[in-house]
């Protein structure tokens, strides 16, 4: 195993760096989209609630591979929607971020909605008594408390996103799973290659879980 690490160390570092970037940018996109959809799901407007519910139901029950392949082959190759000029590699990389963001946003939304449900009704009523509209109430009173209540679940969603980033290899994004596939083809050491990448993902996800666990205890909402 150590011989393989020595031989491929630069490629392994590059591949995991791509995985980290995929996770980081997709997490930002998922947080933005998921927050908006969560707001729609608790909105007093029936159409907004319906759209949010349909979005979550469809995305959560659609395989991530299908979403990412649709982004690359459907939106980019067929419809010609470009995100990075004419570069196939850059377009696939950015469409992978879009696909991961859209998929993960559904889980962020449900985590946030559960957090919103933990906020006491009196909090919202106090905001309305101050003259706050729905969006102001949500932004200034409800969401700050909801985020504090769901730090640990959001950490689990981020860990799942890190592992789900391997699906980007389906459209040729050179992240960790893509390199692992290449190494398995070139080296007769399947167990050693698997151990290398399993260790790499443990190094990425274990500190994340510990960090979010600490945050959850540090900022948990007193009830």
């Amino acid at each position: 195993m150590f011989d393989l690490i020595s031989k491929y160390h630069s490629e392994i570092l590059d591949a995991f760096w791509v995985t980290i970037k995929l996770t980081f940018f997709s997490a930002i996109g998922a947080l933005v989209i998921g927050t908006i959809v969560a707001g729609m799901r608790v909105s007093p407007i029936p159409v907004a609630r319906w759209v949010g519910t349909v979005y979550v139901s469809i995305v959560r029950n659609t395989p991530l591979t299908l979403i990412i392949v649709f982004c690359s082959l459907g939106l980019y190759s067929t419809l010609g929607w470009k995100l990075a000029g004419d570069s196939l590699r850059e377009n696939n990389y950015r469409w992978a971020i879009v696909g991961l963001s859209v998929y993960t946003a559904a889980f962020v939304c449900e985590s946030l909605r559960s957090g919103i449900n933990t906020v006491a009704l009196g909090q919202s009523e106090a905001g309305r008594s101050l003259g706050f509209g729905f969006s102001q109430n949500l932004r200034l009173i409800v969401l700050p408390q909801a985020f504090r209540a769901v730090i640990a679940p959001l950490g689990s969603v981020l860990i799942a996103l890190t592992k789900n980033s391997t699906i980007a290899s389906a459209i040729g994004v050179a992240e960790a799973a893509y390199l692992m596939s290449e190494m398995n083809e070139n080296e007769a050491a399947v167990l050693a290659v698997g151990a290398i990448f399993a260790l790499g993902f443990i190094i990425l996800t274990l500190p994340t879980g510990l960090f979010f666990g600490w945050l959850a205890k540090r900022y948990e909402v007193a009830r």
Side-chain angles (χ1 to χ4, degrees):
M1 186 174 80
F2 293 104
D3 291 338
L4 288 174
I5 294 175
S6 176
K7 181 178 179 181
Y8 290 96
H9 70 278
S10 60
E11 290 91 342
I12 292 172
L13 290 176
D14 289 342
F16 274 105
W17 177 237
V18 173
T19 295
I20 291 171
K21 290 192 294 182
L22 279 174
T23 302
F24 177 76
F25 292 118
S26 300
I28 293 174
L31 188 61
V32 172
I33 299 171
T35 302
I36 293 172
V37 177
M40 294 172 67
R41 293 210 67 184
V42 298
S43 169
I45 303 173
V47 174
R49 292 200 304 271
W50 180 82
V51 171
T53 301
V54 169
Y55 174 90
V56 171
S57 298
I58 291 176
V59 172
R60 288 181 68 185
N61 291 287
T62 302
L64 176 56
T65 304
L66 182 60
I67 292 175
I68 289 182
V69 170
F70 172 77
C71 287
S72 176
L73 298 183
L75 300 181
Y76 171 53
S77 298
T78 303
L79 298 180
W81 293 7
K82 299 179 181 179
L83 299 179
D86 294 323
S87 171
L88 175 63
R89 187 175 72 172
E90 281 299 313
N91 272 287
N92 278 342
Y93 169 75
R94 296 186 184 190
W95 277 117
I97 292 174
V98 171
L100 287 166
S101 298
V102 167
Y103 179 78
T104 309
F107 298 90
V108 171
C109 167
E110 290 303 276
S111 295
L112 271 180
R113 193 165 68 94
S114 68
I116 291 171
N117 290 335
T118 67
V119 178
L121 185 60
Q123 299 283 328
S124 298
E125 292 176 346
R128 285 194 293 270
S129 70
L130 293 173
F132 289 171
F134 170 75
S135 60
Q136 285 180 304
N137 216 343
L138 188 67
R139 186 176 72 253
L140 300 176
I141 296 177
V142 177
L143 280 181
Q145 297 182 68
F147 271 109
R148 289 180 62 184
V150 296
I151 291 175
L154 287 178
S156 298
V157 172
L158 180 60
I159 290 172
L161 171 60
T162 304
K163 294 183 287 187
N164 285 340
S165 66
T166 57
I167 304 298
S169 63
I171 58 174
V173 178
E175 45 74 61
Y178 188 85
L179 177 61
M180 184 176 71
S181 177
E182 288 191 341
M183 288 176 64
N184 281 329
E185 291 179 2
N186 298 330
E187 306 290 340
V190 175
L191 292 180
V193 171
I196 291 171
F197 286 91
L199 178 62
F201 276 99
I202 289 172
I203 292 172
L204 288 181
T205 58
L206 184 58
T208 302
L210 294 174
F211 176 68
F212 274 86
W214 174 82
L215 279 181
K217 292 180 181 179
R218 175 70 176 79
Y219 295 104
E220 64 182 353
V221 180
R223 298 296 179 193

